[in-house]
Amino acid sequence: QQFSRFCKLQADDKVLEAACGTGHMVNYCASSVASVDGVDIAERMIALAQAEADQRQLGNVRFSVGPVESLPFPDGGHSVVMSRAAFHHFADPRQVIDEMLRCCCTGGRLCIQDIIGYGDPELDAYVEELEVAIDSSHARTLLRDEFTGLFTEVGLVGIHGVEFQTRLDLINYVGHAVQSDEMQAEVEKLIEKGLGDAKLSSIFEQHDGRLALIRNVLFIGGRKADTDSPAELARRPRIVRLKLDQP
């Protein structure tokens, strides 16, 4: 898992994943850290996560049902607090980051993976419309600078990240959520609109005989400050940008 490597997990880490979904990341990390907690608001997701953990006999994982805006953990109890592919569902990203940071110990790391906008108003407006038609729980895709701004605002230091592009198989991507007949028709209408427009079609690509949507993804991490050094607090975020298919 690229994201787990980005988080630089250590054997003594106590990890918390906010909005863990079906627990894939929690259960994946379990063998390499001291403990992992996963929280998600969907009971069905947590039931699947727990079933996998039980099947694999993972004794160092715990799952909880609840909102990420109010995590059921004491202050500073985890050395790594992460969230993966979830922030575009949050109505108030700053509130979630504040709560994740509360659960992180001094000197601990906060890491997020999520899709980000293209930085082009026309492309972003179109894809937001498409995302909402595919999944009604979609709130808003943040831009890279919004993520770095949030990390800076809450006082994280050593902010760093990797931005890259990924191809999402469109049939599978649409199928990850359930749409009404009306919304299925809207998704088809929007895809047709995108493919017929010179600018919008730039984010679609035929790959291995299937239509794919190209999305930008960001891994971003920072450390909960254990120093008041002005030099460290003023250090600018370092984001490495990779091209599509660049390792």
Side-chain angles (χ1 to χ4, degrees):
Q1 284 281 344
Q2 292 178 326
F3 186 55
S4 65
R5 291 197 297 270
F6 174 81
C7 296
K8 297 181 179 179
L9 300 178
Q10 305 293 323
D12 59 349
D13 275 327
K14 296 179 179 179
V15 178
L16 166 60
E17 184 180 9
C20 67
T22 57
H24 174 75
M25 189 69 179
V26 170
N27 292 330
Y28 176 83
C29 294
S31 63
S32 57
V33 298
S35 65
V36 198
D37 289 296
V39 179
D40 199 276
I41 197 168
E43 291 185 25
R44 180 177 62 86
M45 296 287 196
I46 290 297
L48 292 171
Q50 187 64 63
E52 182 188 354
D54 292 344
Q55 182 181 30
R56 295 175 56 185
Q57 298 182 324
L58 301 175
N60 62 338
V61 303
R62 295 181 300 175
F63 291 103
S64 305
V65 177
V68 291
E69 294 84 1
S70 181
L71 294 167
F73 300 103
D75 296 357
H78 295 82
S79 57
V80 178
V81 183
M82 63 171 65
S83 180
R84 180 173 171 266
F87 260 74
H88 58 278
H89 292 295
F90 301 152
D92 189 346
R94 171 61 190 267
Q95 182 181 0
V96 179
I97 284 185
D98 283 341
E99 185 66 357
M100 292 171 68
L101 193 61
R102 179 188 66 78
C103 296
C104 187
C105 67
T106 300
R109 290 101 68 202
L110 193 149
C111 301
I112 292 172
Q113 171 193 342
D114 203 18
I115 53 174
I116 55 173
Y118 300 94
D120 179 289
E122 185 177 353
L123 288 177
D124 286 329
Y126 166 74
V127 174
E128 288 302 281
E129 191 176 4
L130 178 60
E131 290 280 8
V132 171
I134 292 172
D135 186 351
S136 60
S137 70
H138 179 88
R140 186 171 73 86
T141 307
L142 299 181
L143 298 171
R144 178 190 66 244
D145 289 347
E146 290 182 285
F147 271 115
T148 57
L150 286 168
F151 272 50
T152 301
E153 286 172 16
V154 299
L156 289 164
V157 298
I159 301 169
H160 61 287
V162 179
E163 177 186 347
F164 59 96
Q165 291 185 316
T166 188
R167 295 184 186 92
L168 300 174
D169 181 277
L170 202 54
I171 292 176
N172 292 338
Y173 193 59
V174 172
H176 87 274
V178 178
Q179 302 96 28
S180 65
D181 291 343
E182 181 182 357
M183 283 297 98
Q184 286 180 2
E186 181 66 14
V187 169
E188 292 173 4
K189 178 182 175 182
L190 286 168
I191 293 173
E192 183 177 353
K193 173 186 174 181
L195 293 174
D197 182 274
K199 185 173 187 178
L200 300 180
S201 62
S202 65
I203 58 173
F204 291 97
E205 180 181 287
Q206 286 288 339
H207 185 67
D208 292 336
R210 294 169 67 92
L211 187 62
L213 175 66
I214 298 174
R215 296 262 17 197
N216 294 350
V217 177
L218 179 69
F219 293 174
I220 184 168
R223 183 165 49 82
K224 188 170 182 177
D226 54 5
T227 175
D228 293 325
S229 167
E232 186 168 18
L233 293 172
R235 190 173 299 161
R236 297 183 63 182
R238 297 179 293 102
I239 308 294
V240 176
R241 298 179 182 86
L242 304 179
K243 296 179 181 179
L244 189 65
D245 295 328
Q246 182 178 347

